Amino acid sequence: MSLKNLTLTDNETGKSIELPLLEGTLGNPTIDVKGIPGQLGYFTHDPSFGTTASCESRITFIDGDKGILLHRGYPIEQLAEKSNYLETAYLLIHGELPNKEQYDEFSTVIRRHTMINESLKTFFGGFRHDAHPMSMMMGVVGSLAAFYHEGLNMNDEEHLMISAHRLISKLPTIAAACYKHSIGEPIVYPRNDLEYCENLLYMMFSVPCEEYVVSPVAAKALNLLFILHADHEQNASTSTVRLVGSTGANPFACISAGIAALWGPAHGGANEGVLKMLEEIGSVENIPKFIEKAKDKNDPFRLMGFGHRVYKNFDPRATIIREVCYQVLEETGIKDPMFGLAMKLEEIALKDEYFVERKLYPNVDFYSGVIYKALGIPVSMFTVMFALARTSGWVSHWLEMMGDPDGRIGRPRQLYMGALERDYIPLEKR
Ligand code: CMC
């Protein structure tokens, strides 16, 4: 919806253009700049997309100043308290909470697709035992495209939805297989009588020769962490999925690209980074030294789990996770010195002028690692957990984009700063 127009005038040529001001249902009004190149001959410059709305979306809303996160209008606090991961996934995909019948049907469909093709299992043998699980995830999820490509009609909504279901169903099976490969244990088949997170824990921690009972505390905590990580509007990995998807690429290739983007330490890789950082800090006396390192512009070190492009007050997900950390440690009876260290680090950083001035607060990943560790999940699998949870967000955005009748290939422009046109010089004359 257009509010009114803004006028942009080129003072040199006197040419003007009317720029429509678009109003969403929530959030900042947005200037439609599409007409500028055609009418004034300029591009807009916004490296790292700090001010650019790359698409219209109806899925998730964030107000970074107020610390608000809504999925399809529902506050994250309410979903965290009352929903479960599969219901949240349904909400993200379909736009409404399911009724009982819809929920049962969705849950049955997701359970039905949990197995992976037997020949896919042989892929794991090609990786060294110490391959990072995120590298295996990228490879194996991408290779699902080889199994689901020929019959896939990208113009058929039902085909797209089945791909979305397959992704949500099969990624936990693949993730657990990555873990099993890294510890040399047999890959465990899914059990479709278990809930989503229970099944994941079962496939990761059970062995074929013994009975295994999934801990309800672990399943509950994982379910909550998955809700908190399910979607976050146009973040780097979701934007990657959309960009790759805009070319009409196979959905499994799109999600593999999303996994690749998520792996970086500035994004989902931060949860692994936090634990490694806490281990490096070691004890409370060393905190000031690391705070100084983080402030030193000549040192690339950053406090992992601190700061966010959008949240400039607090990350509502971090507030929930912090509380859950207490509960999980209490319920599991685990006394983890890392949690105490994390709390002290948070306390010191939040009083430090550098962090206050730049509005750097703990983000969702500052505490998630402490919980994963308490659940027995190895550090190298932390970002994989994030990827599993974010899959519902990725597929929701991919479906939204694919359903947009005005959708076009994503193709940014650039401010070229390279050499001017020049003539080729033969090798012997250079
Ligand atoms: N430690 C020290 N200084 C920091 C940090 C940090 N963690 N984060 C930002 N800064 C400084 C930065 O050096 C810059 O200072 P100055 O203005 O003096 O140049 C200022 O704060 C603004 O930083 P920025 O890099 O322009 O901010 P950004 O919006 O581009 O980056 C971020 C956001 C999350 C990548 C960054 O804060 C960061 O690297 N944090 C650590 C990694 C992390 O925890 N990532 C997880 C993000 S939440 C989960 C997810 O969405 O994936």
Side-chain angles (χ1 to χ4, degrees):
M1 181 188 149
S2 176
L3 268 180
K4 55 178 180 182
N5 288 347
L6 296 181
T7 308
L8 179 68
T9 306
D10 181 339
N11 290 335
E12 237 169 70
T13 62
K15 274 193 195 167
S16 280
I17 177 174
E18 297 284 301
L19 299 174
L21 196 58
L22 309 175
E23 191 182 28
T25 48
L26 289 170
N28 293 6
T30 299
I31 305 167
D32 180 347
V33 296
K34 281 199 301 293
I36 297 179
Q39 294 192 46
L40 295 186
Y42 299 121
F43 291 140
T44 52
H45 185 235
D46 181 24
S48 71
F49 311 120
T51 62
T52 296
S54 63
C55 61
E56 260 184 32
S57 183
R58 288 168 175 74
I59 300 173
T60 290
F61 172 75
I62 303 173
D63 183 326
D65 294 325
K66 295 194 184 123
I68 292 173
L69 170 60
L70 309 176
H71 291 320
R72 300 287 191 179
Y74 295 101
I76 190 65
E77 292 78 6
Q78 290 184 26
L79 293 171
E81 190 192 335
K82 298 176 180 158
S83 187
N84 66 46
Y85 178 66
L86 270 198
E87 186 183 67
T88 301
Y90 182 99
L91 173 69
L92 290 170
I93 292 173
H94 295 284
E96 296 296 335
L97 286 168
N99 61 28
K100 170 92 175 68
E101 201 184 333
Q102 289 164 328
Y103 178 77
D104 288 346
E105 194 187 325
F106 183 65
S107 162
T108 305
V109 167
I110 297 300
R111 283 165 209 244
R112 204 170 282 155
H113 287 293
T114 49
M115 283 199 298
I116 52 176
N117 190 299
E118 279 297 291
S119 58
L120 196 72
K121 280 168 58 181
T122 60
F123 283 38
F124 291 95
F127 293 106
R128 270 173 58 122
H129 70 280
D130 57 355
H132 195 285
M134 281 298 274
S135 69
M136 290 194 259
M137 286 295 286
M138 268 186 316
V140 179
V141 172
S143 66
L144 282 176
F147 295 83
Y148 305 107
H149 189 66
E150 280 315 314
L152 183 63
N153 178 356
M154 299 292 275
N155 298 313
D156 184 329
E157 270 178 35
E158 208 184 318
H159 281 210
L160 302 189
M161 192 58 83
I162 292 172
S163 299
H165 291 158
R166 282 190 172 127
L167 279 155
I168 295 174
S169 301
K170 292 185 197 304
L171 258 67
T173 313
I174 294 173
C178 291
Y179 174 56
K180 287 298 194 188
H181 176 71
S182 72
I183 55 170
E185 284 185 5
I187 289 173
V188 173
Y189 285 104
R191 256 184 55 193
N192 291 353
D193 60 316
L194 296 176
E195 292 297 333
Y196 194 79
C197 290
E198 285 178 338
N199 195 24
L200 172 62
L201 290 164
Y202 169 78
M203 289 186 288
M204 282 182 74
F205 297 118
S206 69
V207 286
C209 47
E210 272 172 32
E211 200 176 318
Y212 178 80
V213 180
V214 178
S215 147
V217 174
K220 188 174 145 213
L222 204 57
N223 180 62
L224 180 86
L225 285 172
F226 273 32
I227 293 174
L228 296 180
H229 284 89
D231 190 43
H232 217 227
E233 51 119 307
Q234 312 308 324
N235 56 84
S237 56
T238 303
S239 296
T240 302
V241 170
R242 277 185 179 264
L243 190 59
V244 178
S246 76
T247 70
N250 179 290
F252 300 94
C254 297
I255 300 305
S256 171
I259 294 172
L262 186 77
W263 192 10
H267 194 6
N271 57 12
E272 183 176 339
V274 171
L275 242 279
K276 286 186 173 158
M277 174 187 76
L278 291 174
E279 275 163 9
E280 210 184 324
I281 295 175
S283 64
V284 173
E285 313 82 78
N286 295 330
I287 291 177
K289 193 173 88 197
F290 280 85
I291 296 264
E292 286 316 307
K293 263 168 81 64
K295 288 157 56 174
D296 181 356
K297 293 291 167 206
N298 297 317
D299 190 327
F301 174 78
R302 283 188 165 197
L303 268 199
M304 297 311 287
F306 262 78
H308 198 275
R309 171 63 61 82
V310 184
Y311 293 121
K312 298 299 172 200
N313 187 337
F314 66 96
D315 179 342
R317 304 165 301 171
T319 311
I320 300 169
I321 281 196
R322 194 177 193 270
E323 199 48 45
V324 175
C325 262
Y326 282 109
Q327 287 167 16
V328 170
L329 293 181
E330 203 177 291
E331 286 174 28
T332 52
I334 291 172
K335 300 211 175 344
D336 189 349
M338 289 295 170
F339 184 48
L341 191 60
M343 284 189 46
K344 197 70 198 162
L345 178 61
E346 180 190 16
E347 187 192 316
I348 295 174
L350 288 182
K351 282 189 199 140
D352 191 292
E353 208 176 306
Y354 174 95
F355 290 88
V356 175
E357 242 176 37
R358 289 169 181 74
K359 301 186 173 173
L360 300 170
Y361 295 86
N363 59 50
V364 66
D365 285 323
F366 189 65
Y367 284 111
S368 64
V370 175
I371 304 182
Y372 287 137
K373 189 163 171 263
L375 303 184
I377 293 167
V379 178
S380 64
M381 285 293 289
F382 287 4
T383 313
V384 173
M385 295 293 126
F386 192 159
L388 297 184
R390 186 54 58 86
T391 300
S392 57
W394 288 332
V395 300
S396 305
H397 284 270
W398 176 75
L399 287 167
E400 183 176 63
M401 186 203 60
M402 294 301 286
D404 179 358
D406 300 326
R408 294 204 299 164
I409 185 170
R411 178 39 169 108
R413 303 308 298 254
Q414 63 171 4
L415 174 62
Y416 177 68
M417 302 293 275
L420 300 180
E421 184 173 341
R422 48 188 169 160
D423 287 325
Y424 179 84
I425 303 165
L427 187 60
E428 59 280 9
K429 293 202 176 153
R430 273 177 247 154

